[in-house]
mmCIF file of all heavy atoms in Angstrom:
data_model
loop_
_atom_site.group_PDB
_atom_site.id
_atom_site.type_symbol
_atom_site.label_atom_id
_atom_site.label_comp_id
_atom_site.label_asym_id
_atom_site.label_seq_id
_atom_site.Cartn_x
_atom_site.Cartn_y
_atom_site.Cartn_z
ATOM 1 N N GLU A 9 -46.757 -64.733 -0.400
ATOM 2 C CA GLU A 9 -48.097 -65.285 -0.674
ATOM 3 C C GLU A 9 -47.945 -66.766 -0.960
ATOM 4 O O GLU A 9 -47.153 -67.160 -1.809
ATOM 5 C CB GLU A 9 -48.719 -64.542 -1.864
ATOM 6 C CG GLU A 9 -49.939 -65.195 -2.463
ATOM 7 C CD GLU A 9 -51.101 -65.301 -1.500
ATOM 8 O OE1 GLU A 9 -51.637 -64.254 -1.097
ATOM 9 O OE2 GLU A 9 -51.449 -66.450 -1.135
ATOM 10 N N GLN A 84 -42.009 -50.108 3.885
ATOM 11 C CA GLN A 84 -43.443 -49.925 4.008
ATOM 12 C C GLN A 84 -44.093 -51.312 4.030
ATOM 13 O O GLN A 84 -43.657 -52.218 3.329
ATOM 14 C CB GLN A 84 -43.989 -49.101 2.839
ATOM 15 C CG GLN A 84 -43.381 -47.723 2.712
ATOM 16 C CD GLN A 84 -43.705 -46.849 3.895
ATOM 17 O OE1 GLN A 84 -44.859 -46.751 4.321
ATOM 18 N NE2 GLN A 84 -42.693 -46.205 4.459
ATOM 19 N N GLN A 102 -57.300 -47.688 11.128
ATOM 20 C CA GLN A 102 -55.907 -47.428 11.491
ATOM 21 C C GLN A 102 -55.095 -46.885 10.308
ATOM 22 O O GLN A 102 -53.888 -46.728 10.415
ATOM 23 C CB GLN A 102 -55.257 -48.735 11.980
ATOM 24 C CG GLN A 102 -55.865 -49.295 13.245
ATOM 25 C CD GLN A 102 -55.558 -48.452 14.461
ATOM 26 O OE1 GLN A 102 -54.581 -47.729 14.476
ATOM 27 N NE2 GLN A 102 -56.395 -48.538 15.466
ATOM 28 N N PRO A 171 -64.726 -58.843 24.483
ATOM 29 C CA PRO A 171 -65.153 -59.743 25.561
ATOM 30 C C PRO A 171 -64.690 -59.227 26.911
ATOM 31 O O PRO A 171 -63.737 -58.448 27.008
ATOM 32 C CB PRO A 171 -64.446 -61.060 25.202
ATOM 33 C CG PRO A 171 -63.258 -60.644 24.388
ATOM 34 C CD PRO A 171 -63.692 -59.438 23.625
ATOM 35 N N PRO A 173 -62.789 -59.120 30.389
ATOM 36 C CA PRO A 173 -61.471 -59.657 30.747
ATOM 37 C C PRO A 173 -61.594 -60.981 31.495
ATOM 38 O O PRO A 173 -62.521 -61.190 32.281
ATOM 39 C CB PRO A 173 -60.881 -58.574 31.655
ATOM 40 C CG PRO A 173 -61.581 -57.318 31.251
ATOM 41 C CD PRO A 173 -62.973 -57.745 30.885
ATOM 42 N N ARG A 188 -56.546 -77.625 35.618
ATOM 43 C CA ARG A 188 -56.724 -76.805 36.812
ATOM 44 C C ARG A 188 -57.311 -75.449 36.431
ATOM 45 O O ARG A 188 -57.071 -74.951 35.328
ATOM 46 C CB ARG A 188 -55.388 -76.603 37.538
ATOM 47 C CG ARG A 188 -54.737 -77.899 37.975
ATOM 48 C CD ARG A 188 -53.470 -77.635 38.782
ATOM 49 N NE ARG A 188 -52.780 -78.871 39.121
ATOM 50 C CZ ARG A 188 -53.105 -79.655 40.146
ATOM 51 N NH1 ARG A 188 -54.112 -79.310 40.933
ATOM 52 N NH2 ARG A 188 -52.433 -80.767 40.378
ATOM 53 N N PRO A 191 -56.371 -68.797 38.606
ATOM 54 C CA PRO A 191 -56.816 -67.397 38.678
ATOM 55 C C PRO A 191 -55.899 -66.497 37.853
ATOM 56 O O PRO A 191 -54.674 -66.626 37.920
ATOM 57 C CB PRO A 191 -56.717 -67.070 40.175
ATOM 58 C CG PRO A 191 -56.724 -68.399 40.865
ATOM 59 C CD PRO A 191 -56.034 -69.346 39.942
ATOM 60 N N VAL A 195 -51.184 -65.222 37.350
ATOM 61 C CA VAL A 195 -50.361 -65.389 36.151
ATOM 62 C C VAL A 195 -49.364 -64.242 36.031
ATOM 63 O O VAL A 195 -49.732 -63.069 36.105
ATOM 64 C CB VAL A 195 -51.234 -65.454 34.890
ATOM 65 C CG1 VAL A 195 -50.359 -65.573 33.640
ATOM 66 C CG2 VAL A 195 -52.205 -66.629 34.971
ATOM 67 N N THR A 218 -55.146 -71.977 23.452
ATOM 68 C CA THR A 218 -55.635 -70.718 22.902
ATOM 69 C C THR A 218 -54.490 -69.942 22.241
ATOM 70 O O THR A 218 -53.458 -69.728 22.871
ATOM 71 C CB THR A 218 -56.242 -69.850 24.016
ATOM 72 O OG1 THR A 218 -57.248 -70.599 24.698
ATOM 73 C CG2 THR A 218 -56.855 -68.574 23.446
ATOM 74 N N ASP A 228 -56.891 -57.668 30.236
ATOM 75 C CA ASP A 228 -56.902 -56.237 30.542
ATOM 76 C C ASP A 228 -55.599 -55.628 30.037
ATOM 77 O O ASP A 228 -54.509 -55.995 30.488
ATOM 78 C CB ASP A 228 -57.036 -56.054 32.055
ATOM 79 C CG ASP A 228 -57.159 -54.588 32.454
ATOM 80 O OD1 ASP A 228 -56.725 -53.713 31.687
ATOM 81 O OD2 ASP A 228 -57.680 -54.319 33.557
ATOM 82 N N VAL A 239 -44.782 -63.160 23.691
ATOM 83 C CA VAL A 239 -44.800 -63.022 25.151
ATOM 84 C C VAL A 239 -45.679 -61.845 25.590
ATOM 85 O O VAL A 239 -45.580 -60.744 25.048
ATOM 86 C CB VAL A 239 -43.377 -62.808 25.711
ATOM 87 C CG1 VAL A 239 -43.415 -62.694 27.233
ATOM 88 C CG2 VAL A 239 -42.452 -63.949 25.291
ATOM 89 N N GLY A 255 -27.552 -54.267 22.545
ATOM 90 C CA GLY A 255 -28.591 -53.244 22.633
ATOM 91 C C GLY A 255 -29.996 -53.783 22.807
ATOM 92 O O GLY A 255 -30.958 -53.013 22.838
#
Side-chain angles (χ1 to χ4, degrees):
E9 166 62 65
Q84 301 296 312
Q102 296 290 336
R188 301 184 184 278
V195 178
T218 305
D228 184 337
V239 181

